[in-house]
Amino acid sequence: MPDTITLPNSLRSQPDASGHFGAFGGRYVAETLMPLILELEKVYKEAKQDPAFDAEFAELLRSYVGRPNPLYYAERLTEALRADAPEGKGAKIYLKREELNHTGAHKINNCIGQALLARRMGKKKVIAETGAGQHGVATATVAALFGMECKIFMGAKDVERQKPNVFRMKLLGAEVIPVVSGSQTLKDAMNDALRHWVSNVHDTFYIIGTAAGPHPYPELVRDFQSIIGKEAREQILELEGRLPDMLIAPVGGGSNAIGLFHPFLDDTDVKMIGVEAAGEGLEGKHAASLAGGKSGILHGNRTYLLQDEDGQITEAHSISAGLDYPGIGPEHSWLHEIGRVQYMPITDDEALASFQKLSALEGIIPALESAHAIASAEKVAPTLDADQILIVNLSGRGDKDIFTVASALGVEM
Amino acid sequence: MTDRLSARFATCKSQGRAALITFVTAGDPTVADTPAILDALVEGGADIIELGMPFTDPMADGPAIELANLRSLGSGTKTKDIFALSAAFRQRHPDTPLVLMGYANPMLVRGSDWFADQCKAAGVDGVICVDVPPEEDAEIGPALRGAGIHLIRLATPTTDAARLPAVLSGASGFLYQVAVAGITGKQQASQAAIEQAVGALKKATELPIAVGFGVRSAEQAGAIGRVADGVVVGSAIVDIIGSHGDAAAPFVKEFVAALRSALNANSPHFRETAA
């Protein structure tokens, strides 16, 4: 494994040839899956070199997803935070509006890319795991678009707390398979998706929803999501004539965050904060793998995991189903260890407060995942100078979460 | 190094039959029940014991073994208990090879050297790590080989001729031929497919070939035993433990004895020993 000290000058050249980001990543899968993973790696390398692949991806992002989405100056949020900040403090907050994408989140960027790869590999069936249902909806959407058969694995608990998305997936023609094993949430959905995949490798493509899993998934998901950071970079240069001082994004597996961060990794003046779900607080039940976990192996990669002293995976908790996962993408583990990105825990209560605040101040109902990033921005912006610029990734819209939020606030609907 | 695995395969070969390899999950249903179940496997005629290390997320396993993992963890099984069970087994059965099978995270959480040392101290002969393919051998291979523990590799229906040398490199003890592309205990491979796969592997390696995944009956075990050096039965035994719980040992012994009879029946020379 490469020593980070011997890395080339760019932080954007990871992973290495064997899929490692420093000590993280890799390909920890059953032998049955290895040949397919190697084939996917080969096909992806070829696709990257193929201008036609890139052109088709770009065109679908434009005409189907609705990109580019705006970089929006959240003036009322900025002013509200300045009002309580010391004189001259309170950074200018921009929101990258991923929630305006078709299907309401960043997830579709990756799904389009992977569906193109599936078609290139001649696979007519796709499967996916989903937590909040956003990735399931995005996968079902592209499966409809590409005429592919689609199965979505979803923890039975999540099926219960995300009913609207379950119905959406069914409308889109997908079969939703409730997973009753383990904690009945995202990690168990991923276990069952892997079990299905290993039994159907010959004709099935697994569209992994986040920048995690065995190599080359973390790399290709990041590449497909990097459209977020590429656009944001161009947009801020146009709007402000300079790069931002800080980027903030929520991190479950971390695909929206790595998508925003990656194009800026070599811009050393741009600070970055990944926001982990601290649930009830780091002393209680949470989903903050970096703050409360340690390096281990799960779902095909080595990364930070919530686990006990015997390496048994402990159950994660977050009010946000999309962050309710005991691991994190391997590139984030690496960026954490080398100190390039700071990771900040935000609790359920803080996210709930920001969910309401952004809705009331800006007329934008954020996904609970994104509300974690807003909460982080509320803490950080008042410590920065008023002429500094902060970009927050508004990774998804909150319509799916209104029932959860209402219930948490004690409101009957 | 005393090599119980090669000695046992040699014995079976001299008897003209395949080795019977049986799998149970350590601590299923409780740590206290496991010694009697392990003894029942040996008394029923198992040649090699695979002892599963339970994991919260057994991705390569079907419902039978997944439930066994959860039963074991639910009753509080810890890694130290598994090594204590192994060491006690080694005391009671000095010649029966014992192989730990499981997932990387519980094996490596304290480092590969720690794990290899524990295996050695407990008299474990080999390790099967389901989610460490040859590409990630550096995680576990060197430590095990250094401690004289066999790293048993898996070949699957998707392992093609180009990839097989990578699988065989660093493999020792025996080669585990996964009969179906899938999870444990579900689909069954056709006898013809198994025969073809075993034939291909035998051309590529001198290691004994053991076939597993989806082997549920004595009849099937007997048929596979005619072509392979070993037959692995797991989920079917684990199901018996699931049904009978702490009273499972005699039922396990009876089932294992039937499997063994089917393998013995392949041998023209086999002389039944007194039970």
Side-chain angles (χ1 to χ4, degrees):
Chain A
M1 260 171 273
D3 187 326
T4 48
I5 293 162
T6 63
L7 287 175
N9 289 328
S10 174
L11 296 177
R12 302 180 59 217
S13 57
Q14 301 278 310
D16 67 14
S18 60
H20 292 92
F21 302 86
F24 303 99
R27 292 174 280 217
Y28 298 89
V29 294
E31 171 62 23
T32 306
L33 292 177
M34 268 315 295
L36 184 71
I37 301 254
L38 294 170
E39 169 72 8
L40 173 60
E41 185 185 349
K42 189 173 133 253
V43 169
Y44 180 55
K45 269 188 191 148
E46 288 164 5
K48 267 212 246 197
Q49 304 300 320
D50 179 0
F53 182 87
D54 198 44
E56 189 171 9
F57 181 55
E59 176 54 23
L60 283 167
L61 289 183
R62 187 192 68 80
S63 61
Y64 190 72
V65 176
R67 303 200 73 98
N69 57 46
L71 185 67
Y72 164 73
Y73 172 38
E75 189 170 5
R76 281 176 41 85
L77 177 63
T78 300
E79 291 304 333
L81 294 174
R82 277 178 185 165
D84 295 329
E87 183 69 30
K89 294 285 181 182
K92 200 170 177 183
I93 300 175
Y94 280 90
L95 304 178
K96 181 59 178 158
R97 302 285 305 273
E98 289 300 306
E99 102 282 8
L100 292 177
N101 293 341
H102 180 42
T103 72
H106 68 289
K107 294 288 186 187
I108 190 91
N109 305 328
N110 165 49
C111 290
I112 298 261
Q114 290 199 45
L116 287 171
L117 287 177
R119 198 183 62 190
R120 212 175 163 96
M121 292 175 83
K123 311 280 187 195
K124 301 223 164 48
K125 296 179 182 175
V126 295
I127 58 167
E129 84 294 341
T130 196
Q134 291 305 97
H135 176 57
V137 168
T139 302
T141 299
V142 300
L145 177 66
F146 283 79
M148 292 169 173
E149 192 182 313
C150 178
K151 285 189 169 69
I152 304 293
F153 295 85
M154 187 171 189
K157 247 187 228 171
D158 290 334
V159 169
E160 197 48 46
R161 56 180 171 175
Q162 300 288 345
K163 281 180 185 156
N165 272 344
V166 172
F167 185 61
R168 276 185 196 107
M169 288 183 263
K170 288 179 179 168
L171 273 179
L172 292 162
E175 183 187 350
V176 178
I177 301 168
V179 174
V180 293
S181 61
S183 58
Q184 308 189 356
T185 60
L186 183 53
K187 89 176 165 77
D188 309 285
M190 199 151 180
N191 290 340
D192 266 24
L194 283 164
R195 288 184 182 113
H196 179 88
W197 194 29
V198 81
S199 311
N200 296 275
V201 280
H202 58 287
D203 66 355
T204 300
F205 188 99
Y206 184 7
I207 298 188
I208 292 184
T210 192
H215 177 65
Y217 279 101
E219 177 186 354
L220 65 87
V221 174
R222 175 200 71 199
D223 291 349
F224 293 138
Q225 291 293 2
S226 289
I227 186 67
I228 302 171
K230 284 180 201 155
E231 277 180 15
R233 207 167 190 287
E234 275 179 30
Q235 289 166 325
I236 200 70
L237 286 173
E238 189 168 317
L239 289 164
E240 296 279 352
R242 69 179 185 87
L243 291 177
D245 298 282
M246 187 179 278
L247 309 172
I248 299 183
V251 179
S255 69
N256 86 78
I258 201 70
L260 176 64
F261 295 168
H262 195 258
F264 293 94
L265 282 178
D266 288 333
D267 301 310
T268 46
D269 292 338
V270 180
K271 294 194 175 69
M272 301 175 190
I273 296 179
V275 184
E276 291 196 287
E280 297 167 354
L282 293 180
E283 304 306 312
K285 291 191 290 178
H286 65 83
S289 327
L290 293 176
K294 61 174 183 165
S295 177
I297 295 167
L298 181 70
H299 292 154
N301 54 181
R302 178 174 273 288
T303 192
Y304 272 75
L305 299 172
L306 299 181
Q307 54 183 319
D308 70 11
E309 73 282 1
D310 272 351
Q312 305 297 349
I313 306 305
T314 50
E315 282 185 19
H317 163 79
S318 169
I319 190 167
S320 149
L323 303 181
D324 199 348
Y325 179 72
I328 186 169
E331 193 161 12
H332 286 292
S333 290
W334 176 67
L335 292 169
H336 165 70
E337 285 219 340
I338 64 170
R340 177 64 184 94
V341 180
Q342 252 189 294
Y343 292 85
M344 177 189 279
I346 287 289
T347 64
D348 287 352
D349 288 345
E350 290 168 328
L352 273 171
S354 295
F355 182 95
Q356 298 168 79
K357 186 162 189 162
L358 192 74
S359 302
L361 275 178
E362 296 286 354
I364 298 171
I365 302 176
L368 275 170
E369 293 80 5
S370 317
H372 283 73
I374 299 292
S376 166
E378 287 185 47
K379 289 187 176 187
V380 172
T383 69
L384 301 176
D385 293 339
D387 62 356
Q388 292 193 291
I389 299 167
L390 201 165
I391 296 178
V392 180
N393 203 11
L394 203 70
S395 52
R397 68 178 178 224
D399 306 52
K400 69 182 173 63
D401 293 316
I402 54 173
F403 300 101
T404 307
V405 172
S407 146
L409 298 176
V411 177
E412 285 212 25
M413 289 177 55
Chain B
M1 145 183 168
T2 56
D3 192 347
R4 296 180 196 93
L5 274 171
S6 56
R8 183 58 61 109
F9 275 109
T11 302
C12 294
K13 193 170 188 181
S14 73
Q15 293 175 349
R17 63 175 179 91
L20 176 58
I21 305 172
T22 55
F23 172 96
V24 294
T25 298
D28 173 28
T30 72
V31 169
D33 297 316
T34 299
I37 290 170
L38 294 179
D39 291 350
L41 296 175
V42 176
E43 288 160 16
D47 293 293
I48 297 167
I49 308 297
E50 283 181 12
L51 187 59
M53 292 181 69
F55 183 42
T56 41
D57 295 82
M59 286 93 61
D61 285 300
I65 294 176
E66 185 192 358
L67 287 172
N69 278 254
L70 297 179
R71 284 195 297 269
S72 171
L73 293 173
S75 67
T77 304
K78 301 287 180 202
T79 299
K80 66 174 166 41
D81 300 323
I82 300 166
F83 284 116
L85 287 169
S86 303
F89 177 87
R90 179 54 61 234
Q91 292 289 319
R92 298 195 305 282
H93 305 282
D95 303 322
T96 304
L98 181 68
V99 172
L100 290 183
M101 179 167 186
Y103 293 83
N105 204 47
M107 290 182 180
L108 297 174
V109 68
R110 295 177 180 89
S112 58
D113 288 334
W114 180 89
F115 180 68
D117 288 348
Q118 292 288 309
C119 286
K120 190 176 181 182
V124 169
D125 301 285
V127 168
I128 303 172
C129 187
V130 177
D131 52 350
V132 174
E135 281 76 2
E136 303 293 348
D137 183 73
E139 281 277 4
I140 190 169
L144 290 178
R145 286 188 279 272
I149 311 287
H150 291 291
L151 176 62
I152 293 150
R153 287 265 172 76
L154 301 107
T156 72
T158 59
T159 310
D160 58 17
R163 185 169 165 71
L164 190 54
V167 170
L168 292 171
S169 149
S172 68
F174 61 91
L175 187 67
Y176 192 136
Q177 165 64 26
V178 175
V180 292
I183 50 181
T184 53
K186 293 284 270 191
Q187 315 96 315
Q188 298 176 354
S190 73
Q191 180 69 14
I194 290 170
E195 288 181 12
Q196 193 189 7
V198 170
L201 291 177
K202 282 195 165 168
K203 281 187 200 134
T205 180
E206 300 285 306
L207 287 174
I209 314 285
V211 175
F213 277 47
V215 186
R216 298 196 64 94
S217 69
E219 187 192 5
Q220 245 184 316
I224 294 168
R226 280 195 284 276
V227 293
D229 304 304
V231 181
V232 187
V233 181
S235 296
I237 299 171
V238 167
D239 275 339
I240 294 172
I241 298 169
S243 306
H244 296 279
D246 60 6
F251 299 96
V252 167
K253 182 178 167 181
E254 186 187 345
F255 179 64
V256 171
L259 295 171
R260 175 62 186 271
S261 295
L263 296 182
N264 288 350
N266 294 330
S267 163
H269 315 294
F270 195 80
R271 294 182 300 276
E272 198 74 38
T273 51

